[in-house]
């Protein structure tokens, strides 16, 4: 009897040690995961006819004509952007982590050198006469916009949406093409809907289970720091909606009545529920 009890205790101890070892391996594996690796979501655009904008993506003093001659510095800028666009095309097909690390390094260097994404949409934009920082010329701004549209659709990373909003709301002498904006303001993976750009607009689409759904952004952003997302549908429809919370947000909040959702600067706030007409999500970017 005593021998059997002793053997049972040994077995229990062995199993306990085994579970602890497995747990430690899992913990170390998660710690060793490269934070710079690609976590692709591959969201797709809605047809531009499904999107209606309640604001004009234009800038006062913007020029419609493109430059016909470039300085040496401007030519280098365009060359860097073209290279990043080519790499992005390869990553979209291969999901290569190696190429992704190369691209994000180039993206960060470009942003730091020429754009200054560290500036919030409400910060003072200081630039020197001999620098393009914060003042991309129209051809470069367009390519930078195209690049970040593809990157936010591919990865769902907030920094690329932040870059788009700076182009949309703060870049002088650049008109953000309406069709390009419509291709990214809302994207989706089936019934997972991503709200990538904050701006007064509506989106209509056919739910995978049938029935029409309309999402409405009501906001005067960036003049205000709030947005209300409303839903209209002909029946209960389950959807995962992800709302981009900008990196510059301060103590943001996302709520539906008394229900509060996780809202962190630099992340998407996920709202997974059965939606119905009358549902309203209030988003506050600064509290």
């Amino acid at each position: 009897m005593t021998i059997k009890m002793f053997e049972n205790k040994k077995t229990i101890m062995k199993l306990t040690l085994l579970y602890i070892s497995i747990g430690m391996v899992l913990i170390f594996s998660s710690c060793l995961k490269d934070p710079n690796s690609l976590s692709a979501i591959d969201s797709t655009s809605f047809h531009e006819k499904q999107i209606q904008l309640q604001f004009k993506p234009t800038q006062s003093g913007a020029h419609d004509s493109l430059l016909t001659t470039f300085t040496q510095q401007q030519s280098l800028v365009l060359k860097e952007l073209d290279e990043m666009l080519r790499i992005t095309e390869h990553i979209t097909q291969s999901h290569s982590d190696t190429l992704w690390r190369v691209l994000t390094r180039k993206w960060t260097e470009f942003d730091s050198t020429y754009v200054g994404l560290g500036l919030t949409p409400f910060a003072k934009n200081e630039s020197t006469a001999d620098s393009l920082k914060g003042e991309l010329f129209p051809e470069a701004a367009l390519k930078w916009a195209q690049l970040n549209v593809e990157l936010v659709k591919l990865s769902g990373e907030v920094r690329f949406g932040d870059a788009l909003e700076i182009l949309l709301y703060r870049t002088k002498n650049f008109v953000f093409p309406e069709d390009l904006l419509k291709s990214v303001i809302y994207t989706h993976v089936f019934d997972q809907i991503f709200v990538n750009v904050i701006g007064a607009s509506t989106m209509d689409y056919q739910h995978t289970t049938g029935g029409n759904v309309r999402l409405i952004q009501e906001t005067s952003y960036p003049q205000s720091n709030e947005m209300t997302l409303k839903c209209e549908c002909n029946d209960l429809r389950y959807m995962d909606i992800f709302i981009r919370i900008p990196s510059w947000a301060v103590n943001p909040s996302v709520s539906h009545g008394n229900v509060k959702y996780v809202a962190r600067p630099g992340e998407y706030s996920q709202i997974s529920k059965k939606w119905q007409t009358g549902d309203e999500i209030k988003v506050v970017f600064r509290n």
Side-chain angles (χ1 to χ4, degrees):
M1 181 76 174
T2 306
I3 295 174
K4 286 185 177 179
M5 289 179 62
F6 180 72
E7 289 177 346
N8 287 338
K9 286 183 178 180
K10 286 180 65 178
T11 302
I12 292 172
M13 288 179 64
K14 287 180 179 178
L15 289 173
T16 302
L17 289 171
L18 177 62
Y19 290 137
I20 291 173
S21 299
I22 292 173
M24 294 297 289
V25 169
L26 291 174
I27 291 172
F28 283 123
S29 296
S30 63
C31 291
L32 292 172
K33 180 177 172 59
D34 186 353
N36 297 317
S37 62
L38 171 64
S39 297
I41 62 169
D42 291 319
S43 67
T44 58
S45 303
F46 290 97
H47 192 282
E48 64 176 302
K49 291 182 179 179
Q50 295 174 268
I51 311 293
Q52 299 297 321
L53 303 177
Q54 271 73 59
F55 67 102
K56 290 292 185 182
T58 59
Q59 299 291 330
S60 60
H63 298 299
D64 293 328
S65 61
L66 297 178
L67 297 174
T68 55
T69 59
F70 300 99
T71 65
Q72 184 176 3
Q73 186 182 25
Q74 288 173 330
S75 296
L76 288 174
V77 168
L78 293 176
K79 184 177 180 180
E80 289 181 44
L81 288 165
D82 285 335
E83 182 181 7
M84 285 191 283
L85 283 165
R86 284 193 295 270
I87 295 173
T88 300
E89 185 177 355
H90 288 302
I91 294 173
T92 302
Q93 298 170 356
S94 67
H95 288 180
S96 166
D97 277 338
T98 301
L99 284 178
W100 179 252
R101 284 189 286 271
V102 170
L103 175 65
T104 52
R105 176 178 56 78
K106 288 180 177 293
W107 186 96
T108 302
E109 290 174 354
F110 185 92
D111 168 65
S112 176
T113 304
Y114 301 117
V115 185
L117 188 54
L119 298 172
T120 74
F122 305 99
K124 184 179 180 182
N125 188 356
E126 297 179 350
S127 58
T128 58
D130 59 349
S131 173
L132 293 173
K133 191 167 184 177
E135 197 67 34
L136 286 177
F137 55 99
E139 292 79 5
L142 178 58
K143 287 182 182 291
W144 183 240
Q146 292 168 336
L147 175 66
N148 283 286
V149 165
E150 294 306 315
L151 292 178
V152 79
K153 289 164 61 179
L154 172 65
S155 70
E157 289 193 15
V158 164
R159 56 178 163 169
F160 305 126
D162 288 349
L164 289 170
E165 282 191 355
I166 285 180
L167 283 171
L168 177 61
Y169 294 121
R170 284 193 53 81
T171 305
K172 298 177 182 178
N173 300 328
F174 174 64
V175 178
F176 203 115
E178 186 171 311
D179 59 342
L180 188 62
L181 179 56
K182 286 184 175 182
S183 75
V184 73
I185 187 168
Y186 304 92
T187 60
H188 71 115
V189 179
F190 299 107
D191 296 314
Q192 292 184 326
I193 312 297
F194 298 86
V195 182
N196 301 307
V197 177
I198 308 303
S201 57
T202 62
M203 184 276 291
D204 294 275
Y205 93 107
Q206 186 82 10
H207 197 275
T208 56
T209 62
N212 295 318
V213 175
R214 168 173 286 186
L215 294 180
I216 305 163
Q217 281 195 66
E218 291 188 351
T219 183
S220 58
Y221 182 87
Q223 285 72 33
S224 73
N225 68 341
E226 297 182 359
M227 183 269 279
T228 299
L229 185 69
K230 296 183 176 182
C231 177
E232 295 178 2
C233 52
N234 52 10
D235 202 351
L236 286 173
R237 289 291 181 270
Y238 185 88
M239 294 182 291
D240 296 306
I241 294 185
F242 299 82
I243 301 174
R244 192 186 116 264
I245 308 298
S247 301
W248 54 261
V250 178
N251 193 27
S253 61
V254 176
S255 59
H256 176 219
N258 294 324
V259 179
K260 295 187 180 299
Y261 295 91
V262 176
R264 299 189 185 96
E267 296 182 9
Y268 279 76
S269 179
Q270 180 177 352
I271 305 162
S272 300
K273 64 186 292 292
K274 288 183 178 179
W275 294 75
Q276 60 184 340
T277 295
D279 281 347
E280 294 187 8
I281 304 296
K282 185 176 181 181
V283 183
V284 181
F285 300 106
R286 290 175 181 266
N287 281 293

